[in-house]
Amino acid sequence: GTTVIRPLVPLPQLDHFPSRQPAKASKGRLIAGWMLSGLLAVFLILLSASGKFTDWEGKDEMFAKFGFSEQLMFNIGIVEVVITLLFLFPRTAFLGSILLTAYLGGATVTHVRVEDPFFMPILMGVLVWVACGLRQPGIFSLAVGRAR
């Protein structure tokens, strides 16, 4: 015969959970979220990542100070662009936010290690989540422990 495995405790029925419909953002919040997302993308792709792909005076010295080779910084630049693009697409914005947080955490550690100011990557990480939350309000509910 067939063996039926039963849980030790009764599992809740799916119909007991509140609606999983995503919260709708107001038009103003959406606009603010997309504007902030655009500014972050400009900074991350056009200012930060592009410096890893182009030659400029002092580049070798700066990368050496951080302990990174030019090839490694080039690869880091590719990662930066890809995860920023993930952040921009609505379907992958949450994943992109998580990955940008990890990436910016690495940038923070890099700056701390060489005794450079390190507030900028932390600020950028906070702004990533604010922008994502403005575009997808359910994220703010998750942040304060209230599932929607």
Side-chain angles (χ1 to χ4, degrees):
T2 304
T3 304
V4 176
I5 299 174
R6 299 196 193 279
L8 295 175
V9 293
L11 298 175
Q13 297 298 315
L14 290 178
D15 59 333
H16 292 198
F17 288 107
S19 170
R20 296 288 186 219
Q21 294 296 323
K24 293 283 185 187
S26 70
K27 189 174 183 176
R29 280 185 169 196
L30 271 176
I31 291 169
W34 278 110
M35 287 177 64
L36 183 54
S37 295
L39 289 172
L40 287 164
V42 164
F43 180 83
L44 290 166
I45 294 174
L46 296 181
L47 299 177
S48 179
S50 68
K52 296 169 180 80
F53 304 134
T54 57
D55 286 327
W56 40 274
E57 191 175 328
K59 178 179 177 180
D60 293 335
E61 294 82 20
M62 187 174 107
F63 288 179
K65 176 182 175 182
F66 291 146
F68 297 137
S69 68
E70 262 193 72
Q71 182 59 48
L72 181 58
M73 288 303 281
F74 182 87
N75 294 343
I76 290 171
I78 291 171
V79 169
E80 186 172 9
V81 169
V82 168
I83 61 178
T84 301
L85 291 175
L86 287 172
F87 165 71
L88 288 176
F89 289 104
R91 271 193 189 268
T92 57
F94 187 74
L95 174 62
S97 296
I98 292 169
L99 294 174
L100 277 173
T101 302
Y103 175 83
L104 292 165
T108 301
V109 169
T110 299
H111 287 284
V112 167
R113 192 175 63 78
V114 298
E115 298 180 359
D116 273 354
F118 57 89
F119 66 91
M120 195 61 165
I122 295 170
L123 175 62
M124 297 288 291
V126 170
L127 292 176
V128 161
W129 284 103
V130 169
C132 194
L134 288 170
R135 289 167 39 203
Q136 300 176 358
I139 289 171
F140 289 142
S141 296
L142 286 173
V144 296
R146 288 183 299 186
R148 297 219 31 103

